[in-house]
Coordinates of all heavy atoms in Angstrom, one line a residue:
M1 N 38.5 90.5 116.8 CA 39.6 90.3 116.0 C 40.5 91.5 116.1 O 40.1 92.6 116.1 CB 39.1 90.1 114.5 CG 40.3 90.4 113.5 SD 40.1 90.4 111.8 CE 38.5 90.6 111.4
S2 N 41.8 91.2 116.2 CA 42.8 92.3 116.2 C 43.6 92.3 114.8 O 43.9 91.3 114.4 CB 43.7 92.1 117.3 OG 43.2 92.3 118.6
L3 N 43.7 93.6 114.4 CA 44.5 93.7 113.3 C 45.7 94.5 113.5 O 45.8 95.2 114.6 CB 43.8 94.2 112.1 CG 42.4 93.6 111.7 CD1 41.6 94.4 110.7 CD2 42.8 92.1 111.1
F4 N 46.7 94.6 112.6 CA 47.8 95.4 112.9 C 48.0 96.5 111.6 O 47.8 96.2 110.5 CB 49.0 94.7 112.9 CG 49.1 93.8 114.2 CD1 48.6 92.6 114.2 CD2 49.6 94.2 115.3 CE1 48.4 91.7 115.3 CE2 49.6 93.5 116.5 CZ 49.0 92.3 116.5
L5 N 48.1 97.7 112.0 CA 48.4 98.8 111.0 C 49.9 99.0 110.9 O 50.5 99.2 111.9 CB 47.8 100.1 111.5 CG 46.3 99.9 111.9 CD1 45.8 101.2 112.2 CD2 45.5 99.4 110.6
V6 N 50.5 98.8 109.7 CA 51.9 99.1 109.5 C 51.9 100.4 108.8 O 51.5 100.6 107.6 CB 52.4 97.9 108.6 CG1 54.0 98.2 108.4 CG2 52.3 96.6 109.3
E7 N 52.6 101.4 109.4 CA 52.7 102.7 108.7 C 54.1 102.9 108.3 O 55.1 102.9 109.2 CB 52.3 103.9 109.7 CG 52.3 105.2 109.2 CD 51.8 106.2 110.2 OE1 51.3 105.8 111.3 OE2 52.1 107.4 109.9
Y8 N 54.3 103.1 107.1 CA 55.6 103.4 106.6 C 55.8 104.9 106.4 O 54.9 105.7 106.0 CB 55.8 102.9 105.2 CG 56.1 101.4 105.1 CD1 56.3 100.9 103.8 CD2 56.3 100.6 106.2 CE1 56.6 99.5 103.7 CE2 56.7 99.2 106.1 CZ 56.8 98.7 104.8 OH 57.2 97.4 104.7
T9 N 56.9 105.5 106.8 CA 57.3 106.9 106.5 C 58.5 106.8 105.5 O 59.4 106.0 105.7 CB 57.7 107.6 107.8 OG1 56.7 107.6 108.7 CG2 58.0 109.2 107.4
Y10 N 58.4 107.6 104.4 CA 59.4 107.5 103.3 C 60.3 108.8 103.4 O 59.7 109.9 103.7 CB 58.9 107.5 102.0 CG 58.0 106.3 101.7 CD1 56.8 106.4 100.9 CD2 58.3 105.1 102.1 CE1 56.1 105.2 100.7 CE2 57.6 103.8 101.9 CZ 56.5 103.9 101.1 OH 55.8 102.9 100.8
A11 N 61.6 108.6 103.1 CA 62.4 109.9 103.0 C 62.3 110.3 101.5 O 62.7 109.4 100.7 CB 63.8 109.5 103.4
P12 N 62.0 111.5 101.1 CA 61.8 112.0 99.9 C 63.1 111.7 99.0 O 63.1 111.5 97.8 CB 61.5 113.3 100.0 CG 60.8 113.5 101.4 CD 61.5 112.5 102.3
E13 N 64.2 111.8 99.5 CA 65.5 111.7 98.8 C 65.6 110.3 98.2 O 66.6 110.1 97.4 CB 66.8 112.2 99.6 CG 67.0 111.3 100.8 CD 66.3 111.6 102.1 OE1 65.3 112.6 102.0 OE2 66.7 111.1 103.1
K14 N 64.9 109.3 98.8 CA 64.9 108.0 98.2 C 63.8 107.6 97.3 O 63.7 106.4 97.0 CB 65.0 107.0 99.5 CG 66.3 107.1 100.3 CD 66.4 106.1 101.3 CE 67.6 106.3 102.2 NZ 67.8 105.3 103.1
N15 N 63.1 108.6 96.8 CA 62.0 108.2 95.9 C 62.4 107.6 94.6 O 61.8 106.6 94.1 CB 61.3 109.6 95.5 CG 60.4 110.2 96.5 OD1 60.0 109.4 97.6 ND2 60.0 111.4 96.4
A16 N 63.5 107.9 93.9 CA 63.9 107.2 92.7 C 64.3 105.7 93.2 O 63.9 104.9 92.2 CB 65.1 108.0 92.2
A17 N 65.0 105.6 94.1 CA 65.2 104.1 94.4 C 64.0 103.3 94.7 O 63.9 102.1 94.3 CB 66.2 104.2 95.7
R18 N 63.0 103.9 95.4 CA 61.7 103.2 95.7 C 61.1 102.9 94.3 O 60.5 101.9 94.0 CB 60.9 104.0 96.6 CG 61.1 103.6 98.0 CD 60.0 104.2 98.9 NE 59.9 105.7 98.7 CZ 60.5 106.6 99.3 NH1 61.6 106.3 100.0 NH2 60.2 107.8 99.0
D19 N 61.1 103.9 93.3 CA 60.4 103.7 92.1 C 61.0 102.5 91.4 O 60.3 101.9 90.7 CB 60.5 105.1 91.3 CG 59.6 106.2 91.9 OD1 58.7 105.9 92.5 OD2 60.0 107.3 91.4
A20 N 62.3 102.5 91.5 CA 63.1 101.4 90.7 C 62.7 100.0 91.2 O 62.8 99.1 90.4 CB 64.7 101.5 90.9
I21 N 62.3 99.8 92.4 CA 61.9 98.5 92.9 C 60.4 98.4 93.4 O 60.0 97.4 93.9 CB 62.8 98.0 94.1 CG1 62.6 98.8 95.3 CG2 64.2 97.8 93.5 CD1 63.4 98.1 96.4
R22 N 59.6 99.4 93.0 CA 58.2 99.4 93.4 C 57.4 98.2 92.9 O 56.7 97.7 93.7 CB 57.5 100.6 92.9 CG 56.1 100.8 93.4 CD 55.4 102.1 93.1 NE 56.4 103.3 93.3 CZ 56.6 103.8 94.6 NH1 56.1 103.3 95.7 NH2 57.4 104.9 94.7
A23 N 57.8 97.6 91.7 CA 57.1 96.5 91.2 C 57.3 95.2 92.1 O 56.5 94.5 92.4 CB 57.6 96.2 89.8
D24 N 58.6 95.2 92.6 CA 58.8 94.0 93.4 C 58.2 94.1 94.9 O 57.7 93.1 95.5 CB 60.5 93.9 93.7 CG 61.2 93.6 92.5 OD1 60.7 93.0 91.6 OD2 62.4 94.0 92.5
H25 N 58.1 95.3 95.3 CA 57.4 95.5 96.6 C 56.0 95.2 96.4 O 55.4 94.7 97.3 CB 57.5 97.2 96.9 CG 56.7 97.7 97.9 ND1 56.7 97.4 99.3 CD2 55.5 98.5 97.8 CE1 55.8 98.0 99.9 NE2 55.0 98.8 99.0
R26 N 55.4 95.7 95.2 CA 53.9 95.4 95.2 C 53.6 93.9 94.9 O 52.7 93.4 95.3 CB 53.3 96.3 93.9 CG 53.2 97.7 94.5 CD 52.5 98.5 93.5 NE 52.3 99.8 94.1 CZ 51.9 100.9 93.5 NH1 51.6 100.9 92.2 NH2 51.8 102.1 94.0
A27 N 54.5 93.3 94.3 CA 54.4 91.8 94.0 C 54.4 91.2 95.4 O 53.7 90.1 95.6 CB 55.5 91.2 93.0
W28 N 55.3 91.5 96.3 CA 55.4 91.0 97.6 C 54.1 91.2 98.3 O 53.6 90.2 98.9 CB 56.5 91.6 98.4 CG 56.9 91.1 99.7 CD1 57.4 89.9 100.2 CD2 56.5 91.9 100.9 NE1 57.4 89.9 101.5 CE2 56.8 91.1 102.0 CE3 55.9 93.2 101.1 CZ2 56.6 91.5 103.3 CZ3 55.7 93.6 102.4 CH2 56.0 92.7 103.5
L29 N 53.6 92.3 98.3 CA 52.3 92.7 98.9 C 51.2 91.9 98.4 O 50.3 91.4 99.1 CB 52.0 94.2 98.9 CG 52.8 95.1 99.7 CD1 52.5 96.6 99.4 CD2 52.5 94.9 101.2
T30 N 51.3 91.7 97.0 CA 50.2 90.9 96.3 C 50.1 89.5 96.8 O 49.1 89.0 97.0 CB 50.3 91.0 94.8 OG1 50.1 92.4 94.4 CG2 49.3 90.2 94.1
D31 N 51.4 88.9 97.1 CA 51.5 87.6 97.6 C 50.7 87.5 99.0 O 50.0 86.6 99.2 CB 52.9 87.2 97.5 CG 53.0 85.7 98.3 OD1 52.5 84.8 97.8 OD2 53.7 85.6 99.3
L32 N 51.1 88.6 99.8 CA 50.4 88.5 101.1 C 48.9 88.7 101.1 O 48.2 88.2 101.9 CB 51.1 89.6 102.0 CG 52.6 89.4 102.3 CD1 53.1 90.5 103.0 CD2 52.9 88.0 103.1
L33 N 48.5 89.6 100.2 CA 47.1 89.8 100.0 C 46.4 88.4 99.5 O 45.3 88.2 100.0 CB 46.9 90.8 98.9 CG 45.4 91.2 98.5 CD1 44.9 92.2 99.9 CD2 45.3 92.1 97.4
E34 N 47.0 87.7 98.6 CA 46.5 86.4 98.1 C 46.4 85.4 99.3 O 45.6 84.5 99.2 CB 47.1 85.9 96.9 CG 46.9 86.9 95.6 CD 47.8 86.5 94.5 OE1 48.8 85.7 94.7 OE2 47.7 87.0 93.5
R35 N 47.3 85.6 100.3 CA 47.3 84.6 101.4 C 46.6 85.1 102.5 O 46.5 84.6 103.7 CB 48.9 84.4 101.8 CG 49.6 83.6 100.6 CD 51.1 83.6 100.8 NE 51.4 83.4 102.2 CZ 52.6 83.8 102.7 NH1 53.5 84.3 101.9 NH2 53.0 83.6 103.9
D36 N 45.7 86.2 102.3 CA 44.9 86.7 103.4 C 45.6 87.2 104.6 O 45.1 87.2 105.7 CB 43.7 85.9 103.8 CG 42.7 85.5 102.7 OD1 42.4 86.4 101.9 OD2 42.3 84.4 102.6
I37 N 46.9 87.6 104.3 CA 47.6 88.3 105.5 C 47.6 89.7 105.4 O 47.2 90.4 106.4 CB 49.1 87.8 105.4 CG1 49.3 86.2 105.6 CG2 50.0 88.6 106.3 CD1 50.6 85.7 105.3
V38 N 47.7 90.3 104.3 CA 47.5 91.8 104.0 C 46.0 91.9 103.6 O 45.5 91.3 102.6 CB 48.3 92.4 103.0 CG1 47.9 93.7 102.5 CG2 49.7 92.5 103.5
L39 N 45.2 92.8 104.2 CA 43.9 93.1 104.0 C 43.7 94.3 103.0 O 42.8 94.2 102.2 CB 43.1 93.3 105.2 CG 43.2 92.2 106.2 CD1 42.1 92.4 107.4 CD2 42.7 90.8 105.5
S40 N 44.6 95.2 103.1 CA 44.5 96.4 102.3 C 45.8 97.2 102.4 O 46.6 97.0 103.4 CB 43.4 97.4 102.8 OG 43.3 98.4 101.8
S41 N 46.3 97.9 101.3 CA 47.5 98.6 101.3 C 47.4 99.8 100.3 O 46.7 99.6 99.4 CB 48.6 97.6 100.8 OG 49.8 98.4 100.8
G42 N 48.1 100.8 100.7 CA 48.2 102.0 99.7 C 48.9 103.1 100.3 O 49.2 103.2 101.6
P43 N 49.5 103.9 99.4 CA 50.3 105.1 99.8 C 49.4 106.2 100.3 O 48.2 106.2 99.9 CB 50.9 105.5 98.5 CG 50.1 105.1 97.4 CD 49.4 103.8 97.9
F44 N 50.0 107.0 101.1 CA 49.3 108.4 101.5 C 49.3 109.3 100.4 O 50.3 109.2 99.5 CB 50.0 108.9 102.6 CG 49.9 108.0 104.0 CD1 51.1 107.8 104.8 CD2 48.9 107.5 104.4 CE1 51.1 107.0 105.9 CE2 48.8 106.7 105.5 CZ 49.9 106.5 106.2
A45 N 48.3 110.1 100.2 CA 48.1 111.0 99.1 C 49.3 111.9 98.9 O 49.6 112.3 97.8 CB 46.8 111.7 99.2
D46 N 50.0 112.3 100.0 CA 51.1 113.2 100.0 C 52.4 112.5 99.5 O 53.4 113.1 99.3 CB 51.4 113.9 101.3 CG 51.8 113.1 102.5 OD1 52.0 111.7 102.2 OD2 51.7 113.5 103.5
G47 N 52.4 111.2 99.3 CA 53.5 110.4 98.9 C 54.6 110.2 99.9 O 55.7 109.7 99.6
L48 N 54.4 110.6 101.1 CA 55.4 110.4 102.2 C 55.4 109.2 103.0 O 56.1 109.0 104.0 CB 55.3 111.7 103.1 CG 55.6 113.1 102.5 CD1 55.5 114.2 103.4 CD2 57.0 113.0 101.9
G49 N 54.4 108.3 102.6 CA 54.5 107.0 103.4 C 53.2 106.2 102.8 O 52.7 106.4 101.8
A50 N 52.9 105.2 103.6 CA 51.9 104.3 103.3 C 51.4 103.5 104.5 O 52.0 103.5 105.5 CB 52.4 103.1 102.3
L51 N 50.2 102.9 104.3 CA 49.6 102.1 105.2 C 49.2 100.9 104.8 O 48.7 100.6 103.7 CB 48.2 103.0 105.9 CG 47.4 102.3 107.0 CD1 48.4 102.4 108.2 CD2 46.1 102.9 107.1
I52 N 49.5 99.8 105.6 CA 49.2 98.5 105.2 C 48.4 97.9 106.4 O 48.9 97.9 107.6 CB 50.5 97.6 104.9 CG1 51.3 98.4 104.0 CG2 50.2 96.3 104.5 CD1 52.7 98.2 104.0
I53 N 47.2 97.3 106.2 CA 46.4 96.5 107.1 C 46.8 95.0 107.1 O 46.6 94.4 106.1 CB 45.0 96.8 107.0 CG1 44.7 98.4 107.1 CG2 44.1 96.1 108.1 CD1 43.3 98.9 106.7
V54 N 47.2 94.6 108.2 CA 47.7 93.2 108.3 C 46.9 92.3 109.3 O 46.5 92.7 110.5 CB 49.2 93.2 108.7 CG1 49.7 91.8 108.7 CG2 49.9 94.0 107.8
D55 N 46.6 91.1 109.0 CA 45.9 90.2 109.9 C 47.0 89.0 110.2 O 47.2 88.1 109.4 CB 44.7 89.6 109.1 CG 43.9 88.7 110.0 OD1 44.3 88.4 111.3 OD2 42.9 88.1 109.7
T56 N 47.5 89.1 111.3 CA 48.5 88.1 111.8 C 48.3 88.0 113.4 O 47.5 88.6 114.0 CB 50.0 88.4 111.5 OG1 50.3 89.8 112.3 CG2 50.3 88.7 110.2
A57 N 49.0 87.0 113.9 CA 48.9 86.6 115.3 C 49.3 87.7 116.3 O 48.7 88.0 117.3 CB 49.7 85.3 115.6
D58 N 50.4 88.3 116.0 CA 50.9 89.3 117.0 C 52.0 90.3 116.3 O 52.4 90.1 115.1 CB 51.6 88.6 118.1 CG 52.7 87.6 117.6 OD1 53.6 87.9 116.8 OD2 52.7 86.4 118.1
A59 N 52.2 91.3 117.0 CA 53.1 92.3 116.4 C 54.5 91.9 116.0 O 55.1 92.3 115.1 CB 53.3 93.5 117.4
E60 N 55.0 90.9 116.8 CA 56.3 90.3 116.6 C 56.3 89.6 115.1 O 57.3 89.8 114.4 CB 56.8 89.3 117.6 CG 57.1 90.0 119.0 CD 55.8 90.3 119.7 OE1 54.7 89.8 119.5 OE2 55.9 91.2 120.6
T61 N 55.1 88.9 114.8 CA 55.1 88.2 113.5 C 55.1 89.2 112.4 O 55.7 89.1 111.4 CB 53.8 87.4 113.5 OG1 53.8 86.4 114.6 CG2 53.7 86.8 112.2
V62 N 54.4 90.4 112.7 CA 54.3 91.5 111.7 C 55.6 92.0 111.5 O 56.1 92.2 110.2 CB 53.4 92.5 112.1 CG1 53.3 93.7 111.0 CG2 51.9 92.2 112.3
A63 N 56.3 92.3 112.4 CA 57.8 92.9 112.3 C 58.7 91.9 111.6 O 59.4 92.4 110.7 CB 58.3 93.2 113.8
L64 N 58.6 90.7 111.9 CA 59.5 89.7 111.2 C 59.0 89.6 109.7 O 59.8 89.6 108.9 CB 59.4 88.4 111.9 CG 60.2 87.3 111.1 CD1 61.7 87.6 111.2 CD2 59.9 85.9 112.0
L65 N 57.8 89.5 109.5 CA 57.3 89.4 108.1 C 57.7 90.6 107.3 O 58.2 90.4 106.1 CB 55.7 89.5 108.1 CG 55.0 89.4 106.8 CD1 55.3 88.1 106.2 CD2 53.5 89.5 107.1
F66 N 57.7 91.8 107.8 CA 57.9 93.1 107.0 C 59.5 93.3 106.9 O 59.8 94.2 106.0 CB 57.2 94.3 107.7 CG 55.8 94.5 107.1 CD1 54.8 93.5 107.5 CD2 55.5 95.3 106.1 CE1 53.6 93.5 106.9 CE2 54.2 95.3 105.5 CZ 53.3 94.4 106.0
T67 N 60.3 92.5 107.4 CA 61.7 92.6 107.1 C 62.1 92.0 105.7 O 63.1 92.2 105.0 CB 62.6 91.8 108.1 OG1 62.3 90.4 108.1 CG2 62.4 92.4 109.6
H68 N 61.0 91.3 105.1 CA 61.2 90.7 103.8 C 60.7 91.6 102.6 O 60.7 91.3 101.4 CB 60.4 89.4 103.8 CG 60.8 88.4 104.8 ND1 62.0 87.6 104.5 CD2 60.5 87.9 105.9 CE1 62.3 87.0 105.6 NE2 61.4 87.1 106.5
D69 N 60.1 92.8 103.0 CA 59.6 93.7 102.0 C 60.8 94.2 101.2 O 61.8 94.6 101.8 CB 59.0 94.9 102.6 CG 58.3 95.9 101.8 OD1 58.7 95.8 100.5 OD2 57.6 96.7 102.2
P70 N 60.8 94.1 99.9 CA 61.9 94.6 99.1 C 62.3 96.1 99.5 O 63.5 96.4 99.4 CB 61.3 94.6 97.7 CG 60.4 93.4 97.7 CD 59.8 93.5 99.1
F71 N 61.3 96.9 99.8 CA 61.6 98.2 100.3 C 62.5 98.2 101.6 O 63.4 99.0 101.7 CB 60.5 99.0 100.7 CG 59.7 99.7 99.4 CD1 58.6 100.5 99.7 CD2 60.2 99.5 98.2 CE1 57.9 101.0 98.5 CE2 59.5 100.1 97.1 CZ 58.4 100.9 97.2
A72 N 62.1 97.3 102.6 CA 63.1 97.2 103.7 C 64.4 96.7 103.5 O 65.3 97.0 103.9 CB 62.3 96.3 104.8
I73 N 64.5 95.6 102.7 CA 65.7 94.9 102.3 C 66.7 96.0 101.7 O 67.8 96.1 102.0 CB 65.5 93.9 101.3 CG1 64.8 92.7 102.0 CG2 66.9 93.4 100.7 CD1 64.2 91.6 101.1
A74 N 66.1 96.9 100.8 CA 67.0 98.0 100.2 C 67.1 99.2 101.1 O 67.7 100.3 100.7 CB 66.3 98.4 98.9
D75 N 66.7 99.3 102.3 CA 66.8 100.3 103.3 C 66.0 101.7 102.7 O 66.6 102.6 102.7 CB 68.1 100.6 103.6 CG 68.4 101.5 104.8 OD1 67.4 101.5 105.7 OD2 69.3 102.3 104.9
L76 N 64.8 101.5 102.2 CA 64.2 102.6 101.6 C 63.0 103.0 102.5 O 62.2 103.9 102.0 CB 63.5 102.2 100.3 CG 64.8 101.7 99.2 CD1 64.1 101.3 97.9 CD2 65.7 102.9 99.0
I77 N 62.8 102.7 103.7 CA 61.7 103.1 104.6 C 62.6 103.9 105.7 O 63.4 103.4 106.4 CB 61.0 101.9 105.2 CG1 60.5 101.0 103.9 CG2 59.9 102.4 106.0 CD1 59.9 99.7 104.4
A78 N 62.1 105.2 105.9 CA 62.7 105.9 107.0 C 62.2 105.4 108.4 O 63.0 105.4 109.4 CB 62.3 107.4 106.7
N79 N 61.0 105.2 108.6 CA 60.5 104.6 109.8 C 59.3 103.7 109.6 O 58.5 103.9 108.6 CB 59.9 105.8 110.6 CG 59.5 105.5 111.9 OD1 60.3 104.9 112.6 ND2 58.2 105.8 112.4
V80 N 59.2 102.8 110.4 CA 57.9 101.8 110.3 C 57.4 101.8 111.7 O 58.0 101.7 112.7 CB 58.5 100.2 110.1 CG1 57.3 99.4 110.2 CG2 59.1 100.3 108.8
R81 N 56.0 101.9 111.8 CA 55.3 101.9 113.0 C 54.3 100.8 112.9 O 53.4 100.7 111.9 CB 54.6 103.2 113.2 CG 53.8 103.4 114.6 CD 53.1 104.7 114.8 NE 52.3 104.7 115.8 CZ 51.3 105.5 116.0 NH1 51.0 106.4 115.1 NH2 50.5 105.4 117.1
I82 N 54.3 99.9 113.9 CA 53.3 98.8 113.9 C 52.4 99.0 115.1 O 52.8 99.2 116.2 CB 53.9 97.5 114.0 CG1 55.0 97.3 112.8 CG2 53.0 96.3 114.1 CD1 55.9 96.0 112.9
T83 N 51.1 99.1 114.8 CA 50.1 99.3 115.9 C 49.0 98.2 115.9 O 48.3 98.1 114.8 CB 49.4 100.9 115.7 OG1 50.5 101.7 115.6 CG2 48.5 101.1 116.8
E84 N 48.7 97.7 117.0 CA 47.6 96.8 117.1 C 46.3 97.6 116.9 O 46.1 98.6 117.7 CB 47.6 96.0 118.3 CG 46.5 94.9 118.3 CD 46.6 93.9 119.5 OE1 47.6 94.2 120.4 OE2 45.9 92.9 119.5
W85 N 45.3 97.1 116.3 CA 44.0 97.8 116.0 C 42.9 96.8 116.2 O 43.0 95.7 115.7 CB 44.0 98.5 114.6 CG 42.8 99.1 114.2 CD1 42.2 100.1 114.9 CD2 42.1 99.0 112.9 NE1 41.1 100.6 114.2 CE2 41.1 99.9 113.0 CE3 42.2 98.2 111.8 CZ2 40.1 100.1 112.0 CZ3 41.4 98.4 110.8 CH2 40.3 99.3 110.8
V86 N 41.9 97.2 117.0 CA 40.7 96.5 117.2 C 39.4 97.1 116.7 O 38.9 98.0 117.2 CB 40.6 96.2 118.8 CG1 39.4 95.2 119.0 CG2 41.8 95.8 119.3
P87 N 39.1 96.8 115.4 CA 38.0 97.4 114.7 C 36.8 96.9 115.4 O 36.6 95.7 115.6 CB 38.1 97.0 113.2 CG 39.0 95.7 113.3 CD 39.9 95.9 114.5
V88 N 35.8 97.8 115.6 CA 34.5 97.5 116.2 C 33.3 97.7 115.4 O 32.3 97.1 115.5 CB 34.2 98.1 117.6 CG1 35.3 97.6 118.6 CG2 34.3 99.6 117.5
L89 N 33.5 98.5 114.3 CA 32.4 98.7 113.3 C 33.1 98.8 111.9 O 34.2 99.0 111.7 CB 31.9 100.2 113.5 CG 31.2 100.4 114.8 CD1 30.9 101.8 115.0 CD2 29.9 99.6 114.9
G90 N 32.3 98.4 111.0 CA 32.8 98.4 109.6 C 33.2 97.1 109.1 O 33.1 96.0 109.7
Q91 N 33.7 97.1 107.9 CA 34.1 95.9 107.0 C 35.2 95.0 107.8 O 35.3 93.9 107.5 CB 34.4 96.2 105.7 CG 35.6 96.9 105.4 CD 35.8 97.3 104.0 OE1 34.9 97.7 103.3 NE2 37.0 97.2 103.4
F92 N 36.0 95.7 108.6 CA 37.1 94.9 109.2 C 36.8 94.4 110.5 O 37.5 93.7 111.2 CB 38.4 95.8 109.3 CG 39.0 96.1 108.0 CD1 39.1 97.5 107.6 CD2 39.4 95.1 107.1 CE1 39.6 97.7 106.4 CE2 40.0 95.5 105.9 CZ 40.1 96.7 105.5
S93 N 35.5 94.7 111.1 CA 35.2 94.2 112.4 C 34.6 92.8 112.3 O 34.1 92.4 111.1 CB 34.1 95.1 113.1 OG 33.0 95.2 112.3
V94 N 34.5 92.2 113.3 CA 34.0 90.7 113.2 C 32.5 90.8 113.4 O 31.9 91.6 114.1 CB 34.5 90.0 114.5 CG1 33.9 88.5 114.5 CG2 36.0 89.8 114.2

């Protein structure tokens, strides 16, 4: 099984704007979690970004899907990195 890691990097000067729509962002992620597309998600401890583990067919699907994130729509993500990941041990491995 291949999964995709979506790494967000945040610009600190946009923290207030992210805080204002964080509930919408989390509702969007919760919908994907309930549909078994997102497996796990959370911010980095330093507050400068987040990691989302996604189960989809390919990187292009991930990229298109994440254009619908309220944070992306409001231009509140400084950088997005999508990396294919092949887990071989642990709870995410087959």
Side-chain angles (χ1 to χ4, degrees):
M1 163 181 16
S2 291
L3 300 175
F4 293 88
L5 305 178
V6 179
E7 183 180 348
Y8 280 179
T9 303
Y10 298 143
E13 65 273 9
K14 294 186 177 184
N15 284 349
R18 270 191 311 281
D19 289 345
I21 64 168
R22 188 171 315 282
D24 295 336
H25 164 74
R26 288 194 175 160
W28 177 78
L29 285 171
T30 297
D31 176 62
L32 295 178
L33 185 70
E34 290 170 353
R35 294 168 43 203
D36 295 323
I37 296 169
V38 166
L39 303 181
S40 190
S41 173
F44 296 130
D46 64 7
L48 296 178
L51 182 70
I52 306 150
I53 301 174
V54 182
D55 185 359
T56 61
D58 52 52
E60 292 78 20
T61 301
V62 177
L64 179 61
L65 179 64
F66 275 72
T67 63
H68 299 282
D69 182 346
F71 280 180
I73 293 168
D75 193 31
L76 299 176
I77 306 164
N79 188 53
V80 177
R81 179 178 174 207
I82 299 170
T83 306
E84 187 172 6
W85 179 48
V86 183
V88 294
L89 297 172
Q91 68 186 44
F92 294 119
S93 64
V94 177

